[in-house]
Coordinates of all heavy atoms in Angstrom, one line a residue:
M1437 N 11.0 32.0 -7.5 CA 10.3 31.9 -6.1 C 10.7 33.1 -5.3 O 11.9 33.5 -5.1 CB 10.8 30.7 -5.5 CG 10.2 30.3 -4.1 SD 10.4 28.7 -3.5 CE 11.5 28.9 -2.2
P1438 N 9.7 33.7 -4.6 CA 10.0 34.8 -3.7 C 10.8 34.4 -2.4 O 10.7 33.4 -2.0 CB 8.6 35.3 -3.3 CG 7.6 34.7 -4.2 CD 8.3 33.5 -4.7
L1439 N 11.6 35.3 -2.1 CA 12.5 35.1 -0.9 C 11.6 35.4 0.3 O 11.7 34.7 1.3 CB 13.8 36.0 -1.0 CG 14.7 36.0 0.2 CD1 15.3 34.5 0.3 CD2 15.8 37.0 0.1
V1440 N 10.8 36.5 0.2 CA 9.9 36.9 1.3 C 8.5 37.2 0.7 O 8.5 37.9 -0.3 CB 10.5 38.1 2.1 CG1 9.5 38.6 3.1 CG2 11.8 37.8 2.7
T1441 N 7.6 36.7 1.3 CA 6.2 37.1 0.9 C 5.5 37.7 2.2 O 5.5 37.1 3.2 CB 5.3 35.9 0.4 OG1 6.0 35.4 -0.7 CG2 3.9 36.3 0.0
V1442 N 4.9 38.8 2.1 CA 4.2 39.5 3.2 C 2.7 39.7 2.8 O 2.4 40.2 1.8 CB 4.8 40.8 3.4 CG1 4.2 41.7 4.4 CG2 6.4 40.8 3.7
N1443 N 1.9 39.3 3.8 CA 0.4 39.5 3.6 C -0.1 40.0 5.0 O -0.3 39.1 5.9 CB -0.2 38.1 3.2 CG -1.6 38.3 3.0 OD1 -2.2 39.3 3.2 ND2 -2.3 37.1 2.6
I1444 N -0.2 41.2 5.1 CA -0.8 41.8 6.4 C -2.2 42.1 6.1 O -2.6 43.0 5.4 CB 0.1 43.0 6.7 CG1 1.5 42.8 6.9 CG2 -0.5 43.6 8.0 CD1 2.4 43.9 7.0
Q1445 N -3.1 41.4 6.8 CA -4.6 41.8 6.7 C -4.9 43.0 7.5 O -5.6 43.9 7.0 CB -5.5 40.6 7.2 CG -5.5 39.4 6.3 CD -4.4 38.4 6.5 OE1 -3.9 38.2 7.6 NE2 -3.9 37.9 5.3
A1446 N -4.2 43.1 8.7 CA -4.5 44.3 9.6 C -3.4 44.3 10.6 O -3.0 43.2 11.1 CB -5.9 44.2 10.3
A1447 N -3.0 45.4 11.0 CA -2.0 45.6 12.1 C -2.2 47.0 12.8 O -2.6 47.9 12.2 CB -0.6 45.5 11.6
G1448 N -2.0 47.0 14.1 CA -2.2 48.3 14.8 C -1.8 47.9 16.4 O -1.4 46.8 16.6
Y1449 N -1.9 49.0 17.1 CA -1.7 48.8 18.6 C -2.7 48.3 19.3 O -2.6 47.9 20.5 CB -1.1 50.1 19.0 CG 0.2 50.5 18.4 CD1 0.4 51.3 17.3 CD2 1.4 49.9 18.9 CE1 1.5 51.6 16.7 CE2 2.6 50.2 18.2 CZ 2.7 51.0 17.1 OH 3.9 51.1 16.5
E1450 N -3.9 48.2 18.8 CA -5.1 47.5 19.4 C -6.1 47.1 18.3 O -6.0 47.8 17.2 CB -5.7 48.4 20.4 CG -6.1 49.7 20.1 CD -6.5 50.6 21.3 OE1 -5.8 50.7 22.2 OE2 -7.6 51.1 21.2
P1451 N -6.9 46.1 18.5 CA -7.8 45.7 17.5 C -8.7 46.8 16.9 O -9.0 46.8 15.7 CB -8.5 44.5 18.1 CG -7.8 44.0 19.2 CD -6.9 45.3 19.8
S1452 N -9.2 47.7 17.8 CA -10.1 48.7 17.3 C -9.3 49.9 16.7 O -9.9 50.7 16.1 CB -10.8 49.4 18.5 OG -10.0 49.9 19.4
N1453 N -8.0 49.9 16.7 CA -7.3 51.0 16.0 C -6.2 50.4 15.1 O -5.0 50.3 15.3 CB -6.5 51.8 17.1 CG -5.8 53.0 16.6 OD1 -6.1 53.5 15.5 ND2 -5.0 53.6 17.3
R1454 N -6.5 50.1 13.9 CA -5.8 49.5 12.8 C -5.1 50.5 12.2 O -5.5 51.5 11.7 CB -6.7 48.7 11.8 CG -7.4 47.6 12.5 CD -8.3 46.9 11.5 NE -8.8 45.6 12.0 CZ -9.4 44.7 11.4 NH1 -9.5 44.8 10.1 NH2 -9.8 43.6 11.9
M1455 N -3.7 50.3 12.1 CA -2.7 51.3 11.5 C -2.7 51.0 10.0 O -2.6 52.0 9.2 CB -1.4 51.3 12.2 CG -1.4 51.5 13.6 SD -2.1 53.1 14.1 CE -0.8 54.2 13.7
I1456 N -2.6 49.8 9.6 CA -2.5 49.5 8.2 C -3.4 48.2 8.0 O -3.7 47.5 8.8 CB -1.0 49.1 7.8 CG1 -0.4 47.9 8.7 CG2 -0.1 50.3 7.9 CD1 0.9 47.5 8.3
E1457 N -3.9 48.1 6.7 CA -4.7 47.0 6.3 C -4.3 46.6 4.8 O -4.0 47.6 4.1 CB -6.3 47.5 6.3 CG -6.7 47.8 7.7 CD -8.2 48.1 7.7 OE1 -8.6 49.0 6.9 OE2 -9.0 47.6 8.4
D1458 N -4.6 45.5 4.5 CA -4.4 44.8 3.3 C -3.1 45.3 2.5 O -3.1 45.9 1.4 CB -5.6 45.3 2.4 CG -6.9 44.8 3.0 OD1 -7.0 43.7 3.5 OD2 -8.0 45.5 2.8
V1459 N -2.0 44.9 3.1 CA -0.6 45.1 2.6 C -0.1 43.7 2.2 O 0.1 42.9 2.9 CB 0.3 45.7 3.7 CG1 1.7 46.0 3.0 CG2 -0.2 47.1 4.1
T1460 N 0.2 43.6 0.9 CA 0.7 42.4 0.3 C 1.7 42.7 -0.7 O 1.6 43.5 -1.6 CB -0.5 41.5 -0.4 OG1 -1.4 41.4 0.4 CG2 0.0 40.3 -0.9
F1461 N 2.9 42.0 -0.5 CA 4.0 42.2 -1.6 C 4.9 41.0 -1.4 O 4.9 40.3 -0.4 CB 4.6 43.4 -1.4 CG 5.4 43.7 -0.1 CD1 6.7 43.4 0.1 CD2 4.8 44.4 0.9 CE1 7.4 43.6 1.2 CE2 5.3 44.5 2.1 CZ 6.7 44.3 2.3
H1462 N 5.9 40.9 -2.4 CA 6.9 39.8 -2.2 C 8.3 40.5 -2.7 O 8.2 41.4 -3.5 CB 6.5 38.6 -3.0 CG 6.5 38.7 -4.3 ND1 5.3 39.0 -5.0 CD2 7.4 38.6 -5.4 CE1 5.5 39.1 -6.3 NE2 6.7 38.8 -6.5
I1463 N 9.3 39.9 -2.1 CA 10.6 40.3 -2.5 C 11.4 39.1 -3.0 O 11.4 37.9 -2.4 CB 11.3 40.8 -1.3 CG1 10.6 41.9 -0.7 CG2 12.8 41.2 -1.6 CD1 11.1 42.4 0.7
N1464 N 11.9 39.2 -4.2 CA 12.6 38.1 -4.9 C 14.2 38.1 -4.6 O 14.6 39.3 -4.2 CB 12.5 38.1 -6.4 CG 11.1 37.8 -6.8 OD1 10.4 36.7 -6.3 ND2 10.5 38.6 -7.7
S1465 N 14.8 37.0 -4.5 CA 16.2 37.0 -4.3 C 17.0 38.0 -5.3 O 16.7 38.1 -6.4 CB 16.8 35.6 -4.5 OG 18.2 35.6 -4.1
G1466 N 17.8 38.8 -4.7 CA 18.7 39.8 -5.5 C 18.0 41.1 -5.7 O 18.7 42.0 -6.2
E1467 N 16.8 41.3 -5.3 CA 16.1 42.6 -5.5 C 16.5 43.5 -4.3 O 16.7 43.2 -3.2 CB 14.6 42.5 -5.4 CG 14.0 41.8 -6.6 CD 12.4 41.8 -6.5 OE1 12.0 41.6 -5.4 OE2 11.9 41.9 -7.6
L1468 N 16.6 44.9 -4.7 CA 16.9 45.9 -3.8 C 15.4 46.7 -3.8 O 15.0 47.2 -4.9 CB 18.0 46.8 -4.3 CG 18.3 48.1 -3.5 CD1 18.8 47.6 -2.1 CD2 19.3 48.9 -4.3
I1469 N 14.9 46.8 -2.6 CA 13.6 47.5 -2.5 C 13.6 48.6 -1.5 O 14.5 48.6 -0.7 CB 12.5 46.4 -2.1 CG1 12.8 45.9 -0.5 CG2 12.4 45.2 -3.0 CD1 11.6 45.7 0.2
G1470 N 12.7 49.4 -1.6 CA 12.5 50.5 -0.7 C 11.0 50.8 -0.5 O 10.2 50.6 -1.4
L1471 N 10.6 51.2 0.7 CA 9.3 51.6 1.0 C 9.2 53.1 0.9 O 9.9 53.8 1.7 CB 8.8 51.1 2.4 CG 8.6 49.7 2.5 CD1 8.2 49.3 4.0 CD2 7.5 49.1 1.6
I1472 N 8.4 53.7 0.1 CA 8.4 55.1 0.0 C 6.8 55.6 0.1 O 6.0 54.8 -0.3 CB 8.9 55.7 -1.3 CG1 8.3 55.1 -2.5 CG2 10.4 55.5 -1.4 CD1 8.7 55.7 -3.9
G1473 N 6.7 56.7 0.6 CA 5.3 57.1 0.8 C 5.3 58.4 1.7 O 6.3 58.9 2.3
A1474 N 4.1 59.1 1.8 CA 4.0 60.3 2.5 C 4.1 59.9 4.1 O 4.0 58.8 4.6 CB 2.6 60.9 2.3
N1475 N 4.2 61.0 4.9 CA 4.2 60.8 6.3 C 2.9 60.2 6.7 O 1.8 60.6 6.3 CB 4.3 62.2 7.0 CG 5.7 62.8 6.9 OD1 6.6 62.1 6.4 ND2 5.9 64.0 7.2
G1476 N 2.9 59.2 7.6 CA 1.7 58.5 8.1 C 1.1 57.5 7.1 O 0.1 57.0 7.4
A1477 N 1.8 57.1 6.1 CA 1.3 56.2 5.1 C 1.4 54.8 5.6 O 0.7 53.9 5.0 CB 2.1 56.3 3.8
G1478 N 2.3 54.4 6.6 CA 2.3 53.1 7.1 C 3.6 52.4 6.8 O 3.7 51.2 6.9
K1479 N 4.7 53.1 6.5 CA 5.9 52.5 6.0 C 6.5 51.8 7.3 O 6.9 50.6 7.2 CB 6.9 53.5 5.6 CG 6.5 54.2 4.2 CD 7.4 55.4 3.8 CE 7.4 56.4 4.7 NZ 6.3 57.4 5.0
S1480 N 6.7 52.7 8.5 CA 7.2 52.0 9.6 C 6.4 50.9 10.2 O 6.8 49.8 10.7 CB 7.4 53.1 10.7 OG 8.4 54.0 10.2
S1481 N 5.0 51.2 10.2 CA 4.2 50.1 10.7 C 4.3 48.8 9.9 O 4.2 47.8 10.5 CB 2.8 50.5 10.6 OG 2.6 51.6 11.5
T1482 N 4.5 48.9 8.7 CA 4.7 47.6 7.8 C 6.0 46.9 8.2 O 6.0 45.7 8.5 CB 4.8 48.1 6.3 OG1 3.5 48.7 6.0 CG2 5.0 46.8 5.5
I1483 N 7.1 47.6 8.3 CA 8.3 47.1 8.8 C 8.2 46.4 10.3 O 8.6 45.3 10.5 CB 9.5 48.0 8.8 CG1 9.8 48.5 7.3 CG2 10.8 47.4 9.4 CD1 10.2 47.5 6.4
K1484 N 7.6 47.2 11.1 CA 7.4 46.6 12.5 C 6.5 45.4 12.5 O 6.7 44.5 13.2 CB 6.7 47.7 13.4 CG 7.6 48.8 13.7 CD 7.0 49.9 14.5 CE 8.0 51.1 14.8 NZ 7.3 52.2 15.6
S1485 N 5.5 45.4 11.6 CA 4.7 44.2 11.4 C 5.5 43.0 11.0 O 5.2 41.9 11.4 CB 3.5 44.5 10.5 OG 2.6 45.4 11.0
M1486 N 6.3 43.2 10.0 CA 7.2 42.2 9.6 C 8.1 41.5 10.6 O 8.4 40.4 10.5 CB 8.0 42.6 8.4 CG 7.2 43.0 7.1 SD 8.2 43.7 5.8 CE 9.3 42.4 5.4
L1487 N 8.4 42.4 11.4 CA 9.4 42.0 12.6 C 8.6 41.5 13.8 O 9.3 41.1 14.7 CB 10.3 43.1 13.0 CG 11.2 43.6 11.8 CD1 12.0 44.9 12.4 CD2 12.2 42.5 11.5
G1488 N 7.3 41.6 13.9 CA 6.6 41.1 15.0 C 6.6 42.1 16.1 O 6.3 41.7 17.3
L1489 N 6.7 43.4 15.9 CA 6.8 44.3 16.9 C 5.5 45.2 17.2 O 5.4 46.0 18.1 CB 7.8 45.4 16.6 CG 9.2 44.8 16.5 CD1 10.3 45.9 16.1 CD2 9.7 44.1 17.7
I1490 N 4.4 44.8 16.4 CA 3.2 45.5 16.5 C 2.2 44.6 17.5 O 2.2 43.3 17.2 CB 2.4 45.7 15.2 CG1 3.3 46.6 14.4 CG2 1.1 46.2 15.3 CD1 3.3 48.1 14.6
P1491 N 1.6 45.1 18.5 CA 0.9 44.3 19.4 C -0.3 43.5 18.8 O -0.6 42.3 19.0 CB 0.4 45.2 20.5 CG 1.2 46.3 20.4 CD 1.7 46.5 19.0
F1492 N -1.0 44.0 17.9 CA -2.1 43.4 17.2 C -1.8 43.3 15.7 O -1.6 44.2 15.0 CB -3.4 44.3 17.4 CG -4.5 43.8 16.5 CD1 -5.2 42.7 16.7 CD2 -4.8 44.5 15.3 CE1 -6.2 42.2 15.9 CE2 -5.9 44.1 14.4 CZ -6.6 43.0 14.8
M1493 N -1.9 42.0 15.3 CA -1.5 41.7 13.9 C -2.3 40.5 13.4 O -2.5 39.4 14.1 CB -0.1 41.3 13.6 CG 0.8 42.6 13.8 SD 2.5 42.2 13.5 CE 3.0 41.3 14.9
E1494 N -2.8 40.6 12.3 CA -3.4 39.4 11.5 C -2.5 39.3 10.2 O -2.8 40.0 9.2 CB -4.8 39.6 11.1 CG -5.8 39.8 12.4 CD -7.2 40.2 12.0 OE1 -7.5 40.4 10.9 OE2 -8.0 40.2 13.0
S1495 N -1.5 38.6 10.2 CA -0.5 38.6 9.2 C 0.1 37.2 9.0 O 0.1 36.3 9.9 CB 0.7 39.5 9.6 OG 0.2 40.8 9.9
I1496 N 0.6 37.0 7.8 CA 1.3 35.9 7.4 C 2.7 36.4 6.7 O 2.5 37.2 5.7 CB 0.6 34.9 6.5 CG1 -0.6 34.4 7.2 CG2 1.6 33.8 6.1 CD1 -1.5 33.5 6.3
I1497 N 3.8 36.0 7.3 CA 5.0 36.5 6.6 C 5.7 35.1 6.3 O 5.9 34.3 7.1 CB 6.0 37.3 7.7 CG1 5.1 38.4 8.3 CG2 7.2 37.8 6.9 CD1 4.7 39.4 7.4
K1498 N 6.1 34.9 5.1 CA 6.7 33.7 4.6 C 8.1 34.0 3.9 O 8.3 35.1 3.4 CB 5.9 32.9 3.5 CG 4.6 32.5 4.0 CD 3.9 31.8 2.9 CE 2.5 31.2 3.3 NZ 1.8 30.7 2.2
S1499 N 9.0 33.1 4.2 CA 10.3 33.2 3.5 C 10.7 32.0 3.1 O 10.1 30.8 3.4 CB 11.4 33.7 4.5 OG 11.8 32.6 5.4
S1500 N 11.7 31.9 2.1 CA 12.1 30.6 1.6 C 12.8 29.7 2.7 O 12.9 28.5 2.4 CB 13.0 30.8 0.4 OG 14.2 31.5 0.9
I1501 N 13.1 30.2 3.9 CA 13.7 29.4 4.8 C 12.8 29.2 6.1 O 12.7 28.0 6.5 CB 14.9 30.2 5.5 CG1 15.9 30.5 4.3 CG2 15.6 29.3 6.7 CD1 17.0 31.6 4.7
V1502 N 12.0 30.1 6.4 CA 11.1 30.0 7.7 C 9.7 30.6 7.2 O 9.5 31.5 6.6 CB 11.6 30.8 8.9 CG1 10.7 30.7 10.0 CG2 13.0 30.1 9.2
T1503 N 8.6 29.9 7.8 CA 7.3 30.4 7.7 C 6.8 30.9 9.1 O 6.9 30.1 10.1 CB 6.3 29.5 7.1 OG1 6.7 29.2 5.8 CG2 4.9 30.1 7.1
C1504 N 6.4 32.0 9.2 CA 6.0 32.6 10.6 C 4.6 33.1 10.5 O 4.3 33.9 9.7 CB 6.9 33.7 11.0 SG 6.4 34.4 12.6
R1505 N 3.6 32.5 11.2 CA 2.2 33.0 11.2 C 2.0 33.8 12.5 O 2.2 33.3 13.6 CB 1.2 31.9 11.2 CG -0.2 32.3 11.2 CD -1.2 31.2 10.9 NE -2.5 31.7 10.8 CZ -3.0 32.2 9.7 NH1 -2.3 32.4 8.6 NH2 -4.3 32.6 9.7
I1506 N 1.6 35.0 12.3 CA 1.4 35.9 13.5 C -0.1 36.2 13.6 O -0.6 36.7 12.6 CB 2.2 37.2 13.3 CG1 3.7 36.9 13.0 CG2 2.1 38.1 14.5 CD1 4.6 38.1 12.6
C1507 N -0.6 36.1 14.8 CA -2.0 36.5 14.9 C -2.2 37.2 16.2 O -1.3 37.1 17.2 CB -2.8 35.3 14.8 SG -2.7 34.0 16.1
A1508 N -3.3 37.8 16.5 CA -3.5 38.7 17.6 C -3.4 37.8 18.9 O -3.1 38.4 20.0 CB -4.9 39.4 17.5
S1509 N -3.8 36.6 18.9 CA -3.9 35.8 20.1 C -2.4 35.5 20.7 O -2.4 35.2 21.9 CB -4.5 34.5 19.9 OG -3.8 33.8 18.9
L1510 N -1.4 35.8 20.0 CA 0.0 35.5 20.4 C 0.5 36.7 21.3 O 1.5 36.6 21.8 CB 1.0 35.3 19.3 CG 0.6 33.9 18.5 CD1 1.6 33.9 17.3 CD2 0.6 32.7 19.3
Y1511 N -0.2 37.8 21.1 CA 0.3 39.1 21.8 C -0.8 39.5 22.8 O -2.0 39.5 22.6 CB 0.5 40.2 20.8 CG 1.6 39.8 19.8 CD1 1.4 39.1 18.6 CD2 2.9 40.1 20.1 CE1 2.4 38.7 17.8 CE2 3.9 39.7 19.3 CZ 3.6 39.1 18.1 OH 4.8 38.7 17.3
S1512 N -0.3 40.2 23.9 CA -1.2 40.8 24.8 C -1.1 42.3 24.5 O 0.0 42.8 24.5 CB -0.9 40.4 26.2 OG 0.5 40.8 26.5
V1513 N -2.1 43.0 24.6 CA -2.2 44.5 24.4 C -2.4 45.1 25.8 O -3.4 44.8 26.5 CB -3.4 44.9 23.4 CG1 -3.4 46.3 23.4 CG2 -3.2 44.1 22.1
S1514 N -1.4 45.8 26.3 CA -1.6 46.4 27.6 C -2.4 47.7 27.4 O -2.3 48.4 26.5 CB -0.2 46.6 28.2 OG 0.6 47.5 27.4
A1515 N -3.2 48.0 28.5 CA -4.0 49.2 28.5 C -3.3 50.4 29.0 O -2.3 50.3 29.7 CB -5.3 48.9 29.3

């Protein structure tokens, strides 16, 4: 059973400017993972989305302890 499951349909700083789309992965207990990729590939945006720090998100982050559903209506995007 995965310890963490990440399903990010879209995330960005506003709905019309999506930084990442269609990111899905899971982390099993005891695994050591790393996010690698070119500059601008979305590594930091993925982590920020997992932590709920991106203003616009359509995501589901599940863990074996807590399930957290994050959607754009929970966040206000300041102009």
Side-chain angles (χ1 to χ4, degrees):
M1437 180 165 116
L1439 182 63
V1440 176
T1441 300
V1442 176
N1443 184 358
I1444 302 170
Q1445 288 84 37
Y1449 291 97
E1450 55 190 50
S1452 62
N1453 186 17
R1454 295 177 173 192
M1455 304 298 287
I1456 56 174
E1457 293 181 311
D1458 300 322
V1459 176
T1460 304
F1461 62 92
H1462 64 270
I1463 304 167
N1464 292 314
S1465 180
E1467 287 184 328
L1468 177 64
I1469 64 143
L1471 288 177
I1472 57 173
N1475 291 347
K1479 301 174 299 290
S1480 295
S1481 296
T1482 299
I1483 297 295
K1484 288 178 183 179
S1485 295
M1486 291 174 66
L1487 297 173
L1489 300 176
I1490 299 283
F1492 166 75
M1493 289 183 287
E1494 295 172 359
S1495 307
I1496 299 173
I1497 313 298
K1498 294 181 182 178
S1499 78
S1500 60
I1501 302 169
V1502 176
T1503 298
C1504 176
R1505 182 171 182 84
I1506 304 169
C1507 63
S1509 63
L1510 297 177
Y1511 294 90
S1512 61
V1513 179
S1514 57

